[in-house]
Structure formats: structure tokens, C-alpha cells
Amino acid sequence: MEKIEHIGIAVKNLEQANALFAKLLGKAHYKIEEVASEGVRTSFFDVGGIKIELLEATHPDSPIARFIDKKGEGIHHLAFGVRDIDRHIAAANQNGFQTLAPHAKDGADNKRIVFLHPKHTNGVLVEMCEDKE
Ligand code: ZN
């Protein structure tokens, strides 16, 4: 793992959360992006090179909708930037972690991403992400 790339926060209303975080951080989000395959609309803030990713569900079956139903709004995942995500996926599975998908898939912000099951990471949903070439 190279660095903390971003922190994902589940929110019910992206517009309201954007306004709130803009007030908190003293700067506006720099982009909004929908990832249809994940059922999310995201916005990004840059805080000293580490991003805050706000996540809003786009439909009731979205993983973010289910997360909010169960736990309410709040920190959803911690994302680590990696190089060679395929090697990290193989190593994670070898080392007793469990990736939620066998291969990396396209995520927001021009990344290839994969999640690790939180039952093996002290309850923290961990994302590994790599910049697409
Ligand atoms: Zn993320």
C-alpha cells in the first residue's frame, strides 16, 4: 500500500453534504461523478492530497443505500492507493483477506478498485485503488 488515497463517507443527500463539507473544509468539492455499476453518485474534496469521497445511493438496492439502512450515515470505507492492483489482490487473498470481487473493476476518479471484506479487517471496509493508465 502506498498511501491513504481517500476516505469514503456515505451520505443521504449529496447536495446537502457537499454544502456542509464545503463549510467544514473551507473549499468546494472539485468534481461529481456517477458510477452506475455501483449505484452511487460521488463527490470529491481534496484535503492536503488526501481525498474525501462522499457517496450517495442512486437506487434503493445500492450498497450505499443498504449501508445507510443498517448503520446510518458516516464513514463507509478507507481507500489505499496501490501500484499493481492485480498483485495486491492475489496477495490479499493468499494472506487470509477476502476481496469482494475476483478482479479489479472501474471505480470513480479514473481508478481500478477492489474492496476487502470487512470481516477480515476489524470491521473496516478497505478499498485498494490504482490509477488507470
Ligand atoms: Zn472509494
Side-chain angles (χ1 to χ4, degrees):
M1 312 272 196
E2 302 289 327
K3 60 171 182 178
I4 293 180
E5 214 283 332
H6 64 270
I7 297 162
I9 298 175
V11 304
K12 287 181 182 167
N13 182 303
L14 197 63
E15 275 66 39
Q16 284 176 14
N18 277 340
L20 188 146
F21 273 82
K23 194 160 52 170
L24 175 70
L25 300 173
K27 62 178 89 177
H29 62 280
Y30 66 89
K31 74 160 144 180
I32 291 186
E33 189 178 340
E34 183 166 340
V35 185
S37 58
E38 295 288 310
V40 295
R41 212 156 61 93
T42 65
S43 69
F44 286 89
F45 293 79
D46 188 324
V47 188
I50 296 172
K51 298 163 193 164
I52 302 291
E53 176 187 36
L54 303 181
L55 303 136
E56 176 197 63
T58 55
H59 58 76
D61 292 329
S62 156
I64 294 301
R66 281 186 267 129
F67 177 89
I68 289 175
D69 284 348
K70 248 165 90 176
K71 300 191 173 175
E73 294 180 295
I75 293 184
H76 177 260
H77 65 272
L78 196 54
F80 294 97
V82 300
R83 281 185 218 146
D84 194 353
I85 195 166
D86 300 313
R87 185 174 59 78
H88 278 83
I89 289 171
N93 284 312
Q94 260 169 26
N95 289 327
F97 302 101
Q98 182 191 332
T99 53
L100 294 188
H103 304 291
K105 51 189 176 179
D106 289 349
D109 205 26
N110 200 39
K111 299 270 194 291
R112 296 176 67 221
I113 68 164
V114 71
F115 287 100
L116 301 181
H117 197 294
K119 75 181 172 190
H120 303 297
T121 50
N122 291 89
V124 178
L125 180 60
V126 169
E127 174 186 335
M128 299 191 293
C129 61
E130 180 177 49
D131 286 326
K132 280 200 255 182
E133 298 303 314

